[in-house]
Amino acid sequence: MITQNKAILNWKEFFMNENLLTDAYKFRDWNQQDLEIPEKETLIKDLTRTRNDDPYFKKESTQRYLMLLATFYCQQNSVNYQQGMLEVVAPFLVMKNRDFPIYKCYAYFNSFMNKYFPKVLEWNILKGQKQLAHVLSAIQFCEILLKYHCADFYNRILKLDDFNLSMVVTPLIMTLFAKGTSIQLVFLIFDEYMRRHNPNYIFFMVTALFMSQKQEILSIEDSEELFTYLNKKLKQIQYESDVQRLFERADEIYSQTPASYEQLIASTSFNDKSVLSVEDITELTNLSQSYYSQCLFIEVSEMKSLLGKSQKQPQKNLQLQLLDIRKVKKPKLSEFLPKQCITKKPDGNQHTCLITDSNQTLDDAMKIANQLIFDGVKHVSILKGGFQSLQFSIKQQKDCSIM
Amino acid sequence: MSLGYYDWLVKVIVLGDSGVGKTNILTQFCDSKFSQNYTATIGVDFKIKILNVQDKKIKLQIWDTAGQERFRNITQTYYKGAYGIIFVYSLIDRNSFNNVEGWIKSILESTTDEVCSILVGNKLDSQDRRVQTAEGEKLAQKYNMPFIETSALENKNIQDIFDRLGQNLKIRLENEGQKVSNNIHTQSGQFKLNQEVNQTEQPTSSCNSC
């Protein structure tokens, strides 16, 4: 298992950039006098509540270092202190030793946050409804994946009154699985996570956690028992083997998720910057009210490459079948696309993409998609822009060969 | 973990500033312990406990919420359907008392139905009191709710919070039940009657006929 000493060596390659040393020197040269940040009082309260079952974190000196790292990070990035942040600071502080001073811990932590941490921090000027809007979006990104890959399970938890994915997902996203997890396993999780070089991977990890316990969850009939299970067992990773399984499953989900999913995330600027602007957050808020947050939409370009109608190689190796749900099925899909890709009854073994008339019929398309998901069909998506976009794109393509 | 027979299932939420002891109150009540290894609640947590109120059993579905103000966008989604609310402040944190009225107002804004509430001043064990009993009483009176001072650390008055809340819940639920039996179509979505019956134990409550 990876330890703090190994992490120092291994993680250097992930963090090394021109800013790393600058950040380290900034911290080293900081006089540590100005400790003012918004919500400083909450930070101070949380110092004694971070890993306080570990004697190291009970020490006053440790708690001071935690405070310094979090305070300097908030000041430098103009963000509020956010509960959960100390759980992410903790493993970086544990790396501190004679050869790895506190300012290097800061530089690594800062670099980690900027590259890999999901964008759940916010400018300290934000108030009211916009607060944590991006966390709500992150929860929706998880929900899209869960709905896509695990229809039966999704239906089961949806039937629970009062259940909201935020119950399970919030601490996972906001502490990157660190809350309630032993520090050694946190090193392992962060290590595996960074090896994927993809901050969106957190969503695949969350989905993998649900799916890895699907059988147990489906077998629990009592609602309150299920709530308790989701609240406690699902939030905790106890063994090294759990971490291995989690990432194996996440890799599998990743490979079976259309690239359009990450294009959606990219289109929202969700992971472009370390801290989102007011405009970014407004955009995310709008997304949460749109159809695109309710189901996976496949981009025309991806569909074409998956069906061999593009010079571009598909990013993922998926077997895609098309279900024509247009009211008037003219011209026929088979005029544009291989017949063997068109189905009349999706079976869930392949990825099923619904072809609509246009965006005006998205309401109907959503109803059909939801019905299929309700019937337990997995891997259901909708073509973004509908048939017209596909037709237009294929016609435009010079090398398009009509079947 | 079915906890057996109950008469009513009720959703209760616990609100208050960060660090006032919400989670410790619940751990003391539900698990009969004070955990020294406490952590901040990120988002929401969930606990179940059956409360005996005279001849009735009320199954409490208790939602423990994060105290940091910005979590409200998340925790507010859990306000819906709450039938009981426990507002907590810390007797040694003046700000938490000043903010508790904000929590009360946030509930008044988000719920249309009347809820059973109680105001709790926690950390009675501490010598460094910053909020006087009379101030808590006055605030509770203003919003017409019971008031109690507690210590989760010493398990002082913790059961009383739920006993007093339970009494009010029972009165309210019996009134609601009356309305339900008068007009079955108007059954409130805020609580459930006797949904989980232990097969080996015959229900004896009068509410079985509801």
Side-chain angles (χ1 to χ4, degrees):
Chain A
M1 183 190 282
I2 189 163
T3 61
Q4 53 266 47
N5 291 332
K6 280 186 189 169
I8 293 169
L9 297 172
N10 289 359
W11 291 0
K12 200 170 181 177
E13 62 173 293
F14 298 125
F15 299 142
M16 187 47 78
N17 63 31
E18 66 277 13
N19 295 325
L20 193 73
L21 279 178
T22 315
D23 289 333
Y25 293 149
K26 271 188 197 166
F27 188 91
R28 190 193 61 186
D29 299 339
W30 178 39
N31 63 13
Q32 299 180 6
Q33 297 300 310
D34 175 17
L35 299 173
E36 287 308 314
I37 50 166
E39 308 205 36
K40 179 185 168 189
E41 283 178 5
T42 311
L43 165 63
I44 290 169
K45 279 179 195 167
D46 286 353
L47 293 172
T48 54
R49 303 199 288 175
T50 304
R51 296 196 171 272
N52 66 1
D53 53 341
D54 180 338
Y56 175 72
F57 284 94
K58 281 197 160 108
K59 288 176 10 189
E60 211 171 294
S61 57
T62 306
Q63 290 176 10
R64 177 160 174 82
Y65 281 132
L66 277 177
M67 182 190 65
L68 292 174
L69 291 171
T71 300
F72 197 64
Y73 175 80
C74 290
Q75 287 180 347
Q76 290 295 304
N77 293 282
S78 302
V79 295
N80 284 344
Y81 168 69
Q82 172 70 66
Q83 283 195 310
M85 188 188 285
L86 292 180
E87 296 285 349
V88 186
V89 176
F92 291 91
L93 179 56
V94 170
M95 291 160 86
K96 179 179 169 295
N97 63 32
R98 206 170 45 188
D99 302 322
F100 198 79
I102 187 70
Y103 59 83
K104 286 191 178 174
C105 296
Y106 172 76
Y108 270 44
F109 165 66
N110 187 57
S111 185
F112 176 78
M113 293 294 274
N114 287 331
K115 283 185 181 174
Y116 299 102
F117 195 72
K119 303 306 177 268
V120 294
L121 297 171
E122 58 203 21
W123 278 2
N124 48 29
I125 55 167
L126 288 171
K127 297 279 176 214
Q129 285 302 307
K130 292 201 191 312
Q131 292 203 357
L132 289 192
H134 35 319
V135 178
L136 296 174
S137 298
I139 292 164
Q140 279 181 319
F141 292 142
C142 294
E143 190 164 346
I144 292 171
L145 273 189
L146 202 57
K147 204 170 175 180
Y148 189 73
H149 288 283
C150 211
D152 51 354
F153 170 76
Y154 181 79
N155 290 330
R156 170 71 182 104
I157 56 173
L158 263 193
K159 278 180 195 162
L160 293 171
D161 284 342
D162 296 324
F163 182 75
N164 186 308
L165 271 187
S166 66
M167 181 174 96
V168 181
V169 173
T170 309
L172 295 174
I173 297 264
M174 299 187 82
T175 72
L176 243 176
F177 285 66
K179 188 170 190 279
T181 308
S182 77
I183 202 91
Q184 291 308 322
L185 289 183
V186 173
F187 276 113
L188 189 59
I189 291 169
F190 284 12
D191 192 57
E192 292 286 339
Y193 177 53
M194 284 188 285
R195 281 176 201 282
R196 269 72 179 177
H197 297 281
N198 181 357
N200 294 337
Y201 222 82
I202 183 74
F203 305 123
F204 297 97
M205 289 160 64
V206 170
T207 310
L209 185 65
F210 273 102
M211 288 180 69
S212 65
Q213 294 173 51
K214 179 181 153 183
Q215 290 312 323
E216 290 90 329
I217 291 168
L218 287 176
S219 68
I220 301 171
E221 287 178 12
D222 177 67
S223 295
E224 276 71 41
E225 196 176 338
L226 185 50
F227 268 128
T228 307
Y229 185 89
L230 291 168
N231 188 43
K232 286 287 169 232
K233 296 260 177 65
L234 202 61
K235 286 183 188 173
Q236 288 176 352
I237 293 180
Q238 288 181 309
Y239 308 104
E240 193 176 342
S241 56
D242 293 340
V243 179
Q244 300 300 348
R245 268 201 302 274
L246 177 80
F247 279 92
E248 280 168 17
R249 186 58 71 97
D251 289 342
E252 203 179 299
I253 295 167
Y254 179 78
S255 72
Q256 287 299 303
T257 301
S260 301
Y261 172 73
E262 289 190 81
Q263 279 175 279
L264 168 73
I265 298 173
S267 73
T268 62
S269 317
F270 193 79
N271 276 326
D272 285 355
K273 321 173 190 91
S274 60
V275 180
L276 297 168
S277 68
V278 178
E279 290 75 24
D280 294 332
I281 290 172
T282 305
E283 197 181 335
L284 282 169
T285 312
N286 293 340
L287 171 80
S288 68
Q289 289 152 6
S290 78
Y291 288 109
Y292 300 121
S293 67
Q294 295 171 35
C295 187
L296 201 151
F297 278 76
I298 301 229
E299 300 280 345
V300 169
S301 55
E302 181 172 27
M303 171 179 279
K304 279 166 59 190
S305 66
L306 283 169
L307 298 178
K309 303 299 290 180
S310 162
Q311 288 174 336
K312 270 190 180 175
Q313 287 296 310
Q315 291 179 42
K316 306 281 179 79
N317 183 21
L318 309 175
Q319 296 298 313
L320 193 67
Q321 61 180 0
L322 311 176
L323 181 66
D324 192 352
I325 59 164
R326 289 176 297 160
K327 282 176 183 156
V328 180
K329 294 182 174 49
K330 282 180 185 171
K332 286 182 177 175
L333 275 189
S334 54
E335 290 177 29
F336 296 87
L337 299 164
K339 277 182 186 167
Q340 65 270 24
C341 299
I342 301 164
T343 184
K344 286 189 175 165
K345 193 168 185 274
D347 55 14
N349 291 326
Q350 292 190 329
H351 296 253
T352 306
C353 186
L354 308 185
I355 311 291
T356 62
D357 274 322
S358 68
N359 279 336
Q360 276 81 54
T361 60
L362 276 181
D363 251 341
D364 293 336
M366 284 306 309
K367 273 182 202 159
I368 296 171
N370 284 335
Q371 185 58 49
L372 286 169
I373 292 162
F374 187 73
D375 292 342
V377 179
K378 59 182 180 179
H379 298 150
V380 176
S381 60
I382 298 172
L383 177 66
K384 195 173 179 183
F387 177 76
Q388 282 79 355
S389 296
L390 180 68
Q391 187 184 32
F392 180 73
S393 176
I394 289 179
K395 275 185 178 166
Q396 260 203 337
Q397 199 173 305
K398 287 178 186 170
D399 62 346
C400 168
S401 54
I402 295 177
M403 300 298 294
Chain B
M1 237 276 306
S2 70
L3 295 172
Y5 169 76
Y6 61 90
D7 294 285
W8 296 293
L9 173 64
V10 171
K11 180 176 177 178
V12 175
I13 48 176
V14 188
L15 299 172
D17 273 10
S18 185
V20 297
K22 299 183 291 296
T23 304
N24 281 328
I25 287 173
L26 290 186
T27 309
Q28 189 63 266
F29 174 62
C30 297
D31 308 327
S32 305
K33 66 177 182 189
F34 181 87
S35 173
Q36 294 291 347
N37 301 329
Y38 47 90
T39 61
T41 304
I42 311 290
V44 292
D45 253 317
F46 172 81
K47 282 188 185 294
I48 282 280
K49 177 89 173 179
I50 287 199
L51 183 69
N52 293 308
V53 184
Q54 294 157 355
D55 59 333
K56 299 289 187 198
K57 284 178 185 289
I58 305 177
K59 189 172 187 176
L60 301 176
Q61 195 190 68
I62 312 171
W63 296 85
D64 181 15
T65 60
Q68 198 177 18
E69 200 269 343
R70 71 182 53 191
F71 277 98
R72 277 195 207 183
N73 257 357
I74 289 177
T75 53
Q76 265 176 353
T77 58
Y78 293 88
Y79 291 5
K80 190 182 158 211
Y83 214 63
I85 319 272
I86 301 170
F87 295 103
V88 187
Y89 66 90
S90 164
L91 294 169
I92 60 169
D93 179 355
R94 185 81 210 173
N95 280 339
S96 73
F97 177 71
N98 295 340
N99 292 337
V100 84
E101 200 160 2
W103 288 105
I104 296 170
K105 284 177 180 166
S106 77
I107 280 289
L108 295 177
E109 282 166 12
S110 351
T111 53
T112 48
D113 297 305
E114 196 184 320
V115 290
C116 296
S117 308
I118 185 164
L119 180 64
V120 177
N122 190 38
K123 305 196 183 181
L124 189 55
D125 50 275
S126 175
Q127 301 302 309
D128 191 22
R129 179 192 273 269
R130 299 289 168 93
V131 186
Q132 298 309 311
T133 307
E135 294 176 277
E137 282 171 344
K138 195 177 165 191
L139 184 65
Q141 248 174 11
K142 181 177 172 184
Y143 288 97
N144 195 25
M145 62 178 82
F147 169 67
I148 196 163
E149 290 187 334
T150 62
S151 164
L153 177 69
E154 294 174 350
N155 194 16
K156 203 168 181 182
N157 298 342
I158 297 298
Q159 183 65 42
D160 293 358
I161 300 173
F162 294 90
D163 286 344
R164 292 179 73 173
L165 185 70
Q167 289 287 350
N168 289 339
L169 283 170
K170 179 174 177 280
I171 295 167
R172 180 82 205 280
L173 290 164
E174 280 176 340
N175 288 341
E176 286 287 338
Q178 201 73 43
K179 283 184 210 163
V180 170
S181 53
N182 289 343
N183 182 0
I184 200 159
H185 300 296
T186 60
Q187 184 167 341
S188 165
Q190 288 190 309
F191 68 98
K192 293 162 189 171
L193 298 175
N194 199 23
Q195 286 209 326
E196 183 188 359
V197 178
N198 188 335
Q199 296 300 314
T200 58
E201 187 180 351
Q202 287 304 308
T204 52
S205 158
S206 59
C207 222
N208 292 324
S209 60
C210 292

